Amino acid sequence: MTKEFEMDTFKRSNEEASAEINVDQVSSESGGGRVKSMIERDDKNLQRLGKVPVLKRKFALMSMLGFACTVMNTWEGELVLFLQAFENGGSAGSIYGFIIVWIGTLCVFASMGELASMAPTSGGQYHWVFMLAPTSSRKFLSYLIGWLTVIGWQAAVAGLGFLSAALIQGVAVMGSPEYAPAPWQTTLLLWACITFAVFFNTIISSALPKVEGLVLILHILGFFAILVPLVYLAPHGSAEDVFTTFMNGGGWQTQGLSFMLGMIAAVFNFLGADGTVHMSEEIQNAAVIVPRAMIFSIIINGLLGFGILVAVLFCIGDIDFILQSPTGFPFMAIFEQAVGSEQGAQAMASILVIMNLLGTVSLVASASRMTWSFARDRGLPGWHYISKVDSRTSIPVIAIALTMVVSFLLALINIGSSVAFNDIISLTINGLYGAYFIGNSLLLYRRVTGAIRPYNGESTDLMNVSHETLTWGPSKIPEPLGTIINAFGCAFLLVMLFFSFWPTAINPTASTMNMSSLMVGATLIFSIIYYLVWARKVYTGPVIEVN
């Protein structure tokens, strides 16, 4: 390794204490030497990446599967964002677009699973970019990807908090049509939703793995609790209408262009599977479990999302009626039209409120770990404080608090302008997909040039800290399938990233214009200025904390 860095004194003491707790306490709670041995192996693998273990490894496959499924909330998102895909694509476009996005997402995260197996660290994308990029550009590229990923996850937390608040108001409107939601009320509800998530991540953080396992069950049961009454009670349309009717509600020149823009809603509903990556340092057998959790969650959510999408399209009923719903969510009108009961529709809609609240819990966990990790590597202002870990609970409390504060501040923008707030949270797709594309493209380059050595679980040397030490992890796709999947995933990312900057309708107004290009540009400009003024002096890529 070309450079070694001394750890700060405060970090060394906290890390050594936490490392002891990590192995001894977790193994006693799990009640077996097998778990202790697994955690010790995980910690050694982390040390080979240059990192000192400081977090407790308390998550396993089922808890992380629930975690990933609720971060994505795909079937719930298909209901909430139903109108976006339906207006640009119609029923047929919604179905075929979903299938394409599902396959593309599987390919993207299959390759990311290989990266997560090579370097299972909370930093995720920016660490991978540093280890894969050429020496001349790896520091700067890693820094930019770190910023895009941090901003993307922070925007996602605020976005899901806003969505949860809006759903609560929508359910209230169903019960009291005279109620007119005010922006300041949405902001207060958003604050309450984020506080709820922070409570789970701090006060009862030790119970989070069990909660996530329970959430997986609720995620599946909630799906059937909505699907069964919807399909059984609602009038059904014809299969011909559902599978052959396209729509160009945006007024675009061609149906194909409208179809491509409608796919962005499905892209948003599959975002977040990499949330497990940022929890890697808290997962037992992370090099194997993280890739499995990502792939299994995409398969499960894809099946559930496709099922609810087809059901809603068959049961859509009077389109004009659902588009005029005072709740702001057409799916609520579909529920009411299907079951013929306002209270029944409210009960069904409340399931989505609960699932989105639980999804916020997982989002706060992922966003805070990503923020903590980037601060640990000195990429953020105030990194010295943000990177601290509580010695009692072994969680990054300051990073969690910062995530809460960022969401609270962003929510204030909604009081003045919901358009400006939506522009900011639009950074989620652009920021994360940009980071995915750079990382997966570099992986494709390194694999076709043969720069990655075979997996060696017995080595004690530093590995995957630069392109000179690249080594495959235990989870690798056999060739040539791995290269084909990697290449297709990169092509998919590039196309979706391009269309994610487009507005949903031609000749947009100030309220319908997609300002995400402005937001991404502003983020990059700020991060570059900060880099030139200060960060280039302290950020050298992922810090090597061990010899």
Side-chain angles (χ1 to χ4, degrees), residues 413-433:
I413 299 174
N414 180 66
I415 298 176
S417 172
S418 60
V419 175
F421 179 80
N422 289 328
D423 289 339
I424 291 174
I425 63 175
S426 68
L427 281 168
T428 304
I429 291 180
N430 313 123
L432 294 182
Y433 257 50

Side-chain angles (χ1 to χ4, degrees), residues 66-122:
F67 186 97
C69 284
T70 53
V71 168
M72 286 189 288
N73 267 352
T74 303
W75 72 260
E76 298 90 338
E78 283 300 315
L79 290 172
V80 173
L81 300 179
F82 165 78
L83 189 59
Q84 282 81 342
F86 187 78
E87 286 185 332
N88 276 310
S91 56
S94 298
I95 291 174
Y96 303 131
F98 182 93
I99 294 172
I100 293 173
V101 171
W102 187 12
I103 295 172
T105 304
L106 268 173
C107 291
V108 169
F109 282 96
S111 297
M112 287 181 63
E114 293 181 302
L115 288 169
S117 185
M118 291 170 66
T121 170
S122 296

Side-chain angles (χ1 to χ4, degrees), residues 64 67-74 105 109 112 153 156 267-278 294 297-298 301 362-363 366 428 432-433 436:
M64 287 317 300
F67 186 97
C69 284
T70 53
V71 168
M72 286 189 288
N73 267 352
T74 303
T105 304
F109 282 96
M112 287 181 63
W153 276 101
V267 167
F268 188 84
N269 292 333
F270 276 106
L271 275 179
D274 61 312
T276 56
V277 170
H278 305 302
M294 288 197 293
S297 64
I298 293 170
N301 271 17
S362 301
L363 269 178
S366 288
T428 304
L432 294 182
Y433 257 50
Y436 298 167

